[in-house]
Amino acid sequence: MTSHYPNLLKPLDLGFTQLKNRVVMGSMHTGLEDRFYNYGKLAAYFAERARGGTGLLITGGISPNRQGWLLPFGGTMSHYGDVINHRRVTSAVHQEGGKILMQILHAGRYGYHPFAVSASNIKSPISMFKPRAMKESEIIKTIRDYGRCAKLAKLSNYDGVEIMGSEGYLLNQFICSRTNKRNDQWGGSLENRMRLPLEIVRKVRKEVGKNFIIAYRLSLIDLVDGGNTWDEIVTIAKALESAGITLLNTGIGWHEARIPTIVTSVPRAAFREVTKRIKHELSIPVMASNRINMPEDGESIVASGDADLISMARPLLADAHFVNKAAAGKAEEINTCIACNQGCLDQTFSMKRSTCLVNPQACFETELVYVKTNRPKKIAVVGGGMAGLSCATVAAERGHDVTLFEGSDDIGGQFTMAMNVPGKEEFRETVRYFRNQVKKTGVKLQLNQKVNTADLNKAGFDEIVIATGVAPRTPKIPGIDHPKVLSYPDVLRHGAKVGHKVAVIGAGGIGIDVSEFLLAEHSPQPLENWLDEWGVDLSVSEAGGLRPPKREQPLRQIWLLQRKHGKKMGQGPGKTTGWVHRLALQHHQVKMMGGVEYLKVDDLGLHIRVGDEEQVLDVDNVILCAGQESVRDLLPTDSEGKITDKRFHVIGGAKMAGEVDAKRAIKEGAELAATL
Ligand code: NAP
Ligand code: SF4
């Protein structure tokens, strides 16, 4: 037994099989599982995580039939022909000493296609397709389809299956009266509503025999009206145990819930309490999940007996070698998931392949490969923000002699501001990770070094990478140099004093960050305050675990402004996170205004025109969050902006300021470094 994280890393004996530790890579849709020609990439992706020490892996959701598709032509296991693709995955994982379950997911009314079915024909607020209510004969056929799917999974050499029964998918739709209005034997009483999942578990067990893992992911807190009460959840969990499941996994919240469950502002391990409560009701092992992203959190949960296993999906996307690093006592080398969703879920919901903002190799294991160089070069990277750090550390890891010049006294660039925003504390982990990578890979870091082109030329570098990032844009508004006006770095980096009434010019990601910074009392927000703000009752005494929120009076009065009409504020930050920011700002009574024309700033405040009406916002400060401009003065270019010296390269915000985000910056840095 290792001395580091002894509880998290100790084996778990399931009787017929053993897991080498308590770390489970939870199911996550990557997009690779939907196309047969991507199974080689999927195999490499899982093999990397098995090699990295993960005890148990779970695939993204695979449908048992066409009605259950999440997306048109989504991954399905319904024919013997499907076995061939899946065997590529299982054999790759087994070769690395790992174990893997296939998740069976029937999307029900979350299916983004016209064949979607559900318990009743009630449309979900997050899908454009209204489902058809299943006929009884279809329910019986669906049970058979689950059985066949599990049998084929066994034939594909999976170590088990996970039946997805949470997050608002089909089985959750049957279990909850919110979506089940049937009056036959599959609806009405709890006994009837839970009949389908129980029949499925029994059928699957019959098809796969005793020595095969069946995990069931049960929603322990639905976070929607018409969800289940705690007593109902306990009854279902016990019935599932009796029906023959091996493990129970924690599901938190339906996808349509308007309460965040995984974004970065959700406190770490926020839901461990509900897992703990179910654990004490059952004798089978129980898995905790949601916002657990570092080994110390997992260790504390297992050590205290709140759960037997820790499910982490995104953290293992971010770092495939999470477990090996933890076991070696090198947790500081873990590339921590910052729960931003930008590289993973936002991609999935845009029908693109998942990857990871902090790890561009994720899901691209066979395409973005860092090969050791046999021709080491002398490389300069100018700028210690995300693009420069990514480029410098990958180039050095490949064996190049890399010098990283940074004009300020620390690395991190824009992240050093983002990490000061309450709810974004996780961004510190990325700066910590790169600090270690710089040391580990031998990058020569030169802080407080404002180099010029002549210095770079003199030093005889073979390659010069300009990663000088962006500077805040100063809009041309009369009175812009009035003392009331501050830039966002003044506020987020330099701690400028800000009054009680504030106008924020620009409602992009940074305008929202600044508003949240000015409204928060604590960083990080204590769990109790977070539960109060969002109205979450972890005792689930009322259906769904909802209760009336308790909110303090806002610390400041804020106007968040943009020139555009119509467009929702905060759309920049991403599909899966924008709504959380918008709701949080509403909780704090922020006045969001679009279609604004800025007239001037003077002692009275900010003068604006909206439509035909002029008004003065009587504010103490005006904070500029009006986007960015590239800093690229070191780049030798001709009159058309083309680079004139072949040794020079440009990446990140310096290349293009518009839409720059850390995902693009880190990816561009790594991709360039892989080719130098
Ligand atoms: P942004 O998202 O492009 O927003 C810039 C804002 O400034 C817009 O609201 C724009 O709206 C306004 N603006 C632009 N030019 C202006 C002008 N001349 N005068 C007045 N207003 C002007 O940029 P950002 O907020 O600076 O963010 C930079 C990048 O970092 C973005 O790509 C963003 O996605 C990323 N980021 C992401 C997060 C996150 O949570 N994921 C957080 C922070 C930053 P109008 O033109 O309508 O006025
Ligand atoms: Fe985590 Fe963001 Fe990477 Fe997704 S993209 S795994 S949320 S760091």
Side-chain angles (χ1 to χ4, degrees), residues 543-578:
L546 299 176
R547 63 171 164 90
K550 278 193 241 160
R551 291 175 195 137
E552 305 287 323
Q553 272 304 307
L555 281 183
R556 289 186 168 86
Q557 188 179 357
I558 295 187
W559 285 265
L560 180 60
L561 312 170
Q562 70 179 17
R563 297 172 304 176
K564 283 184 279 294
H565 288 273
K567 202 177 169 204
K568 278 190 223 154
M569 303 283 197
Q571 240 174 14
K575 271 188 187 265
T576 59
T577 50

mmCIF file of all heavy atoms in Angstrom, residues 543-578:
data_model
loop_
_atom_site.group_PDB
_atom_site.id
_atom_site.type_symbol
_atom_site.label_atom_id
_atom_site.label_comp_id
_atom_site.label_asym_id
_atom_site.label_seq_id
_atom_site.Cartn_x
_atom_site.Cartn_y
_atom_site.Cartn_z
ATOM 1 N N ALA A 543 -39.403 17.439 -2.331
ATOM 2 C CA ALA A 543 -39.128 16.805 -3.617
ATOM 3 C C ALA A 543 -38.052 17.559 -4.390
ATOM 4 O O ALA A 543 -38.104 18.788 -4.503
ATOM 5 C CB ALA A 543 -40.412 16.768 -4.436
ATOM 6 N N GLY A 544 -37.054 16.846 -4.897
ATOM 7 C CA GLY A 544 -36.021 17.449 -5.745
ATOM 8 C C GLY A 544 -34.896 18.117 -4.984
ATOM 9 O O GLY A 544 -33.904 18.505 -5.571
ATOM 10 N N GLY A 545 -35.043 18.297 -3.664
ATOM 11 C CA GLY A 545 -33.983 18.944 -2.886
ATOM 12 C C GLY A 545 -33.946 20.451 -3.068
ATOM 13 O O GLY A 545 -32.894 21.072 -2.916
ATOM 14 N N LEU A 546 -35.096 21.037 -3.392
ATOM 15 C CA LEU A 546 -35.158 22.492 -3.565
ATOM 16 C C LEU A 546 -35.774 23.148 -2.341
ATOM 17 O O LEU A 546 -36.632 22.553 -1.680
ATOM 18 C CB LEU A 546 -36.013 22.829 -4.798
ATOM 19 C CG LEU A 546 -35.516 22.283 -6.135
ATOM 20 C CD1 LEU A 546 -36.511 22.599 -7.240
ATOM 21 C CD2 LEU A 546 -34.149 22.854 -6.474
ATOM 22 N N ARG A 547 -35.366 24.353 -2.042
ATOM 23 C CA ARG A 547 -35.968 25.147 -0.972
ATOM 24 C C ARG A 547 -35.868 26.615 -1.360
ATOM 25 O O ARG A 547 -35.065 26.961 -2.245
ATOM 26 C CB ARG A 547 -35.272 24.887 0.360
ATOM 27 C CG ARG A 547 -33.800 25.296 0.373
ATOM 28 C CD ARG A 547 -33.257 25.199 1.790
ATOM 29 N NE ARG A 547 -31.818 25.196 1.880
ATOM 30 C CZ ARG A 547 -31.045 26.273 1.995
ATOM 31 N NH1 ARG A 547 -31.574 27.487 1.954
ATOM 32 N NH2 ARG A 547 -29.739 26.169 2.137
ATOM 33 N N PRO A 548 -36.659 27.493 -0.724
ATOM 34 C CA PRO A 548 -36.555 28.905 -1.106
ATOM 35 C C PRO A 548 -35.150 29.432 -0.821
ATOM 36 O O PRO A 548 -34.588 29.151 0.242
ATOM 37 C CB PRO A 548 -37.585 29.603 -0.202
ATOM 38 C CG PRO A 548 -38.475 28.516 0.280
ATOM 39 C CD PRO A 548 -37.669 27.258 0.319
ATOM 40 N N PRO A 549 -34.562 30.158 -1.779
ATOM 41 C CA PRO A 549 -33.206 30.682 -1.548
ATOM 42 C C PRO A 549 -33.199 31.773 -0.479
ATOM 43 O O PRO A 549 -34.235 32.404 -0.234
ATOM 44 C CB PRO A 549 -32.810 31.258 -2.901
ATOM 45 C CG PRO A 549 -34.027 31.283 -3.744
ATOM 46 C CD PRO A 549 -35.109 30.512 -3.081
ATOM 47 N N LYS A 550 -32.015 31.959 0.132
ATOM 48 C CA LYS A 550 -31.846 33.062 1.085
ATOM 49 C C LYS A 550 -30.711 33.917 0.538
ATOM 50 O O LYS A 550 -29.588 33.425 0.403
ATOM 51 C CB LYS A 550 -31.400 32.521 2.451
ATOM 52 C CG LYS A 550 -32.527 31.996 3.301
ATOM 53 C CD LYS A 550 -32.017 31.792 4.725
ATOM 54 C CE LYS A 550 -32.157 30.332 5.096
ATOM 55 N NZ LYS A 550 -31.326 29.888 6.200
ATOM 56 N N ARG A 551 -31.023 35.163 0.178
ATOM 57 C CA ARG A 551 -29.973 35.997 -0.418
ATOM 58 C C ARG A 551 -29.824 37.299 0.340
ATOM 59 O O ARG A 551 -30.814 37.913 0.717
ATOM 60 C CB ARG A 551 -30.305 36.295 -1.886
ATOM 61 C CG ARG A 551 -30.200 35.046 -2.737
ATOM 62 C CD ARG A 551 -30.621 35.259 -4.165
ATOM 63 N NE ARG A 551 -30.811 33.949 -4.773
ATOM 64 C CZ ARG A 551 -31.807 33.611 -5.571
ATOM 65 N NH1 ARG A 551 -32.716 34.513 -5.913
ATOM 66 N NH2 ARG A 551 -31.918 32.391 -6.049
ATOM 67 N N GLU A 552 -28.557 37.671 0.542
ATOM 68 C CA GLU A 552 -28.252 38.933 1.224
ATOM 69 C C GLU A 552 -28.500 40.093 0.254
ATOM 70 O O GLU A 552 -28.522 39.899 -0.959
ATOM 71 C CB GLU A 552 -26.769 38.977 1.618
ATOM 72 C CG GLU A 552 -26.295 37.810 2.464
ATOM 73 C CD GLU A 552 -26.799 37.886 3.892
ATOM 74 O OE1 GLU A 552 -26.861 39.018 4.411
ATOM 75 O OE2 GLU A 552 -27.144 36.831 4.459
ATOM 76 N N GLN A 553 -28.614 41.297 0.804
ATOM 77 C CA GLN A 553 -28.657 42.484 -0.050
ATOM 78 C C GLN A 553 -27.320 42.589 -0.792
ATOM 79 O O GLN A 553 -26.266 42.332 -0.200
ATOM 80 C CB GLN A 553 -28.841 43.738 0.822
ATOM 81 C CG GLN A 553 -30.295 44.085 1.096
ATOM 82 C CD GLN A 553 -31.087 44.260 -0.201
ATOM 83 O OE1 GLN A 553 -30.700 45.023 -1.071
ATOM 84 N NE2 GLN A 553 -32.212 43.532 -0.323
ATOM 85 N N PRO A 554 -27.329 42.951 -2.088
ATOM 86 C CA PRO A 554 -26.053 43.034 -2.811
ATOM 87 C C PRO A 554 -25.111 44.064 -2.195
ATOM 88 O O PRO A 554 -25.563 45.072 -1.643
ATOM 89 C CB PRO A 554 -26.459 43.432 -4.225
ATOM 90 C CG PRO A 554 -27.901 43.732 -4.199
ATOM 91 C CD PRO A 554 -28.492 43.248 -2.918
ATOM 92 N N LEU A 555 -23.816 43.784 -2.302
ATOM 93 C CA LEU A 555 -22.794 44.688 -1.758
ATOM 94 C C LEU A 555 -22.732 46.002 -2.528
ATOM 95 O O LEU A 555 -22.368 47.033 -1.988
ATOM 96 C CB LEU A 555 -21.414 44.050 -1.896
ATOM 97 C CG LEU A 555 -20.993 42.990 -0.903
ATOM 98 C CD1 LEU A 555 -19.572 42.554 -1.200
ATOM 99 C CD2 LEU A 555 -21.082 43.548 0.520
ATOM 100 N N ARG A 556 -23.060 45.915 -3.818
ATOM 101 C CA ARG A 556 -22.956 47.116 -4.658
ATOM 102 C C ARG A 556 -24.104 47.159 -5.649
ATOM 103 O O ARG A 556 -24.717 46.127 -5.946
ATOM 104 C CB ARG A 556 -21.657 47.094 -5.472
ATOM 105 C CG ARG A 556 -20.421 47.314 -4.676
ATOM 106 C CD ARG A 556 -19.219 47.430 -5.616
ATOM 107 N NE ARG A 556 -18.054 47.930 -4.909
ATOM 108 C CZ ARG A 556 -17.207 47.162 -4.229
ATOM 109 N NH1 ARG A 556 -17.383 45.858 -4.171
ATOM 110 N NH2 ARG A 556 -16.165 47.708 -3.602
ATOM 111 N N GLN A 557 -24.347 48.341 -6.181
ATOM 112 C CA GLN A 557 -25.310 48.452 -7.272
ATOM 113 C C GLN A 557 -24.512 48.529 -8.582
ATOM 114 O O GLN A 557 -23.662 49.411 -8.744
ATOM 115 C CB GLN A 557 -26.145 49.713 -7.084
ATOM 116 C CG GLN A 557 -27.266 49.763 -8.061
ATOM 117 C CD GLN A 557 -28.122 51.007 -7.871
ATOM 118 O OE1 GLN A 557 -27.903 51.803 -6.963
ATOM 119 N NE2 GLN A 557 -29.090 51.161 -8.746
ATOM 120 N N ILE A 558 -24.792 47.566 -9.457
ATOM 121 C CA ILE A 558 -23.978 47.486 -10.680
ATOM 122 C C ILE A 558 -24.857 47.557 -11.920
ATOM 123 O O ILE A 558 -25.916 46.917 -11.986
ATOM 124 C CB ILE A 558 -23.155 46.171 -10.681
ATOM 125 C CG1 ILE A 558 -22.138 46.211 -9.534
ATOM 126 C CG2 ILE A 558 -22.450 45.952 -12.018
ATOM 127 C CD1 ILE A 558 -21.155 45.089 -9.500
ATOM 128 N N TRP A 559 -24.400 48.350 -12.892
ATOM 129 C CA TRP A 559 -25.007 48.361 -14.227
ATOM 130 C C TRP A 559 -24.003 47.682 -15.153
ATOM 131 O O TRP A 559 -22.841 48.115 -15.229
ATOM 132 C CB TRP A 559 -25.237 49.787 -14.717
ATOM 133 C CG TRP A 559 -26.384 50.498 -14.073
ATOM 134 C CD1 TRP A 559 -27.656 50.588 -14.549
ATOM 135 C CD2 TRP A 559 -26.369 51.249 -12.850
ATOM 136 N NE1 TRP A 559 -28.433 51.338 -13.698
ATOM 137 C CE2 TRP A 559 -27.667 51.757 -12.650
ATOM 138 C CE3 TRP A 559 -25.392 51.533 -11.900
ATOM 139 C CZ2 TRP A 559 -28.015 52.530 -11.549
ATOM 140 C CZ3 TRP A 559 -25.735 52.307 -10.806
ATOM 141 C CH2 TRP A 559 -27.020 52.796 -10.629
ATOM 142 N N LEU A 560 -24.439 46.632 -15.829
ATOM 143 C CA LEU A 560 -23.561 45.922 -16.768
ATOM 144 C C LEU A 560 -24.064 46.249 -18.173
ATOM 145 O O LEU A 560 -25.217 45.947 -18.508
ATOM 146 C CB LEU A 560 -23.632 44.415 -16.475
ATOM 147 C CG LEU A 560 -22.791 43.490 -17.343
ATOM 148 C CD1 LEU A 560 -21.303 43.821 -17.242
ATOM 149 C CD2 LEU A 560 -23.007 42.032 -16.927
ATOM 150 N N LEU A 561 -23.188 46.856 -18.968
ATOM 151 C CA LEU A 561 -23.659 47.493 -20.207
ATOM 152 C C LEU A 561 -22.979 46.927 -21.454
ATOM 153 O O LEU A 561 -21.798 46.554 -21.408
ATOM 154 C CB LEU A 561 -23.341 48.997 -20.137
ATOM 155 C CG LEU A 561 -23.740 49.711 -18.846
ATOM 156 C CD1 LEU A 561 -23.144 51.111 -18.821
ATOM 157 C CD2 LEU A 561 -25.262 49.781 -18.713
ATOM 158 N N GLN A 562 -23.733 46.886 -22.536
ATOM 159 C CA GLN A 562 -23.111 46.598 -23.833
ATOM 160 C C GLN A 562 -23.834 47.386 -24.924
ATOM 161 O O GLN A 562 -24.976 47.810 -24.749
ATOM 162 C CB GLN A 562 -23.097 45.100 -24.134
ATOM 163 C CG GLN A 562 -24.447 44.490 -24.425
ATOM 164 C CD GLN A 562 -24.379 42.985 -24.734
ATOM 165 O OE1 GLN A 562 -23.397 42.320 -24.444
ATOM 166 N NE2 GLN A 562 -25.443 42.462 -25.301
ATOM 167 N N ARG A 563 -23.143 47.546 -26.063
ATOM 168 C CA ARG A 563 -23.728 48.320 -27.165
ATOM 169 C C ARG A 563 -24.701 47.475 -27.985
ATOM 170 O O ARG A 563 -25.648 47.992 -28.543
ATOM 171 C CB ARG A 563 -22.616 48.871 -28.065
ATOM 172 C CG ARG A 563 -21.699 49.845 -27.329
ATOM 173 C CD ARG A 563 -20.505 50.225 -28.164
ATOM 174 N NE ARG A 563 -19.763 49.041 -28.585
ATOM 175 C CZ ARG A 563 -18.721 49.057 -29.383
ATOM 176 N NH1 ARG A 563 -18.282 50.196 -29.865
ATOM 177 N NH2 ARG A 563 -18.093 47.946 -29.707
ATOM 178 N N LYS A 564 -24.406 46.170 -28.037
ATOM 179 C CA LYS A 564 -25.253 45.292 -28.858
ATOM 180 C C LYS A 564 -26.687 45.263 -28.336
ATOM 181 O O LYS A 564 -26.915 45.321 -27.133
ATOM 182 C CB LYS A 564 -24.709 43.858 -28.828
ATOM 183 C CG LYS A 564 -23.503 43.654 -29.689
ATOM 184 C CD LYS A 564 -23.074 42.222 -29.701
ATOM 185 C CE LYS A 564 -22.259 41.818 -28.504
ATOM 186 N NZ LYS A 564 -20.950 42.412 -28.334
ATOM 187 N N HIS A 565 -27.612 45.110 -29.257
ATOM 188 C CA HIS A 565 -29.018 44.933 -28.894
ATOM 189 C C HIS A 565 -29.290 43.438 -28.803
ATOM 190 O O HIS A 565 -28.648 42.643 -29.462
ATOM 191 C CB HIS A 565 -29.940 45.472 -29.998
ATOM 192 C CG HIS A 565 -29.963 46.956 -30.073
ATOM 193 N ND1 HIS A 565 -30.818 47.713 -29.314
ATOM 194 C CD2 HIS A 565 -29.227 47.819 -30.820
ATOM 195 C CE1 HIS A 565 -30.610 48.994 -29.609
ATOM 196 N NE2 HIS A 565 -29.653 49.086 -30.508
ATOM 197 N N GLY A 566 -30.288 43.101 -28.064
ATOM 198 C CA GLY A 566 -30.896 41.769 -28.196
ATOM 199 C C GLY A 566 -30.095 40.622 -27.641
ATOM 200 O O GLY A 566 -30.611 39.806 -26.930
ATOM 201 N N LYS A 567 -28.769 40.605 -27.922
ATOM 202 C CA LYS A 567 -27.986 39.430 -27.538
ATOM 203 C C LYS A 567 -27.964 39.290 -26.018
ATOM 204 O O LYS A 567 -27.835 40.279 -25.298
ATOM 205 C CB LYS A 567 -26.565 39.596 -28.066
ATOM 206 C CG LYS A 567 -25.826 38.300 -28.200
ATOM 207 C CD LYS A 567 -24.455 38.539 -28.795
ATOM 208 C CE LYS A 567 -23.646 37.264 -28.665
ATOM 209 N NZ LYS A 567 -22.239 37.484 -28.674
ATOM 210 N N LYS A 568 -28.094 38.030 -25.561
ATOM 211 C CA LYS A 568 -28.060 37.820 -24.116
ATOM 212 C C LYS A 568 -26.706 38.239 -23.566
ATOM 213 O O LYS A 568 -25.679 37.980 -24.178
ATOM 214 C CB LYS A 568 -28.250 36.328 -23.816
ATOM 215 C CG LYS A 568 -29.682 35.884 -23.827
ATOM 216 C CD LYS A 568 -29.749 34.468 -23.282
ATOM 217 C CE LYS A 568 -30.678 33.603 -24.082
ATOM 218 N NZ LYS A 568 -30.366 32.191 -24.017
ATOM 219 N N MET A 569 -26.722 38.840 -22.389
ATOM 220 C CA MET A 569 -25.464 39.214 -21.741
ATOM 221 C C MET A 569 -24.728 37.931 -21.353
ATOM 222 O O MET A 569 -25.346 36.940 -20.989
ATOM 223 C CB MET A 569 -25.732 39.994 -20.461
ATOM 224 C CG MET A 569 -26.554 41.231 -20.660
ATOM 225 S SD MET A 569 -25.520 42.489 -21.340
ATOM 226 C CE MET A 569 -26.455 43.936 -21.052
ATOM 227 N N GLY A 570 -23.414 38.001 -21.360
ATOM 228 C CA GLY A 570 -22.625 36.872 -20.874
ATOM 229 C C GLY A 570 -22.682 35.672 -21.781
ATOM 230 O O GLY A 570 -22.517 34.550 -21.346
ATOM 231 N N GLN A 571 -22.920 35.890 -23.072
ATOM 232 C CA GLN A 571 -22.951 34.737 -23.951
ATOM 233 C C GLN A 571 -21.547 34.241 -24.257
ATOM 234 O O GLN A 571 -21.364 33.074 -24.546
ATOM 235 C CB GLN A 571 -23.684 35.072 -25.234
ATOM 236 C CG GLN A 571 -24.876 34.153 -25.349
ATOM 237 C CD GLN A 571 -25.754 34.501 -26.518
ATOM 238 O OE1 GLN A 571 -25.384 35.257 -27.398
ATOM 239 N NE2 GLN A 571 -26.931 33.944 -26.520
ATOM 240 N N GLY A 572 -20.575 35.142 -24.132
ATOM 241 C CA GLY A 572 -19.193 34.771 -24.411
ATOM 242 C C GLY A 572 -18.709 33.557 -23.640
ATOM 243 O O GLY A 572 -18.184 32.625 -24.217
ATOM 244 N N PRO A 573 -18.936 33.515 -22.303
ATOM 245 C CA PRO A 573 -18.289 32.481 -21.516
ATOM 246 C C PRO A 573 -18.681 31.042 -21.840
ATOM 247 O O PRO A 573 -18.090 30.129 -21.311
ATOM 248 C CB PRO A 573 -18.687 32.820 -20.073
ATOM 249 C CG PRO A 573 -19.012 34.249 -20.099
ATOM 250 C CD PRO A 573 -19.590 34.499 -21.448
ATOM 251 N N GLY A 574 -19.662 30.788 -22.674
ATOM 252 C CA GLY A 574 -19.893 29.387 -23.058
ATOM 253 C C GLY A 574 -21.291 28.909 -22.761
ATOM 254 O O GLY A 574 -21.958 29.393 -21.851
ATOM 255 N N LYS A 575 -21.670 27.893 -23.555
ATOM 256 C CA LYS A 575 -23.039 27.376 -23.506
ATOM 257 C C LYS A 575 -23.449 26.839 -22.143
ATOM 258 O O LYS A 575 -24.561 27.028 -21.697
ATOM 259 C CB LYS A 575 -23.141 26.198 -24.492
ATOM 260 C CG LYS A 575 -23.515 26.602 -25.883
ATOM 261 C CD LYS A 575 -23.772 25.344 -26.708
ATOM 262 C CE LYS A 575 -23.994 25.705 -28.148
ATOM 263 N NZ LYS A 575 -25.248 25.879 -28.655
ATOM 264 N N THR A 576 -22.520 26.113 -21.498
ATOM 265 C CA THR A 576 -22.915 25.435 -20.267
ATOM 266 C C THR A 576 -22.687 26.280 -19.024
ATOM 267 O O THR A 576 -23.011 25.849 -17.926
ATOM 268 C CB THR A 576 -22.146 24.103 -20.112
ATOM 269 O OG1 THR A 576 -20.757 24.420 -20.101
ATOM 270 C CG2 THR A 576 -22.454 23.136 -21.229
ATOM 271 N N THR A 577 -22.084 27.466 -19.205
ATOM 272 C CA THR A 577 -21.782 28.275 -18.029
ATOM 273 C C THR A 577 -22.436 29.660 -18.066
ATOM 274 O O THR A 577 -22.643 30.264 -17.019
ATOM 275 C CB THR A 577 -20.257 28.467 -17.880
ATOM 276 O OG1 THR A 577 -19.754 28.913 -19.149
ATOM 277 C CG2 THR A 577 -19.556 27.186 -17.503
ATOM 278 N N GLY A 578 -22.761 30.137 -19.259
ATOM 279 C CA GLY A 578 -23.309 31.492 -19.401
ATOM 280 C C GLY A 578 -24.555 31.687 -18.549
ATOM 281 O O GLY A 578 -24.700 32.710 -17.866
#
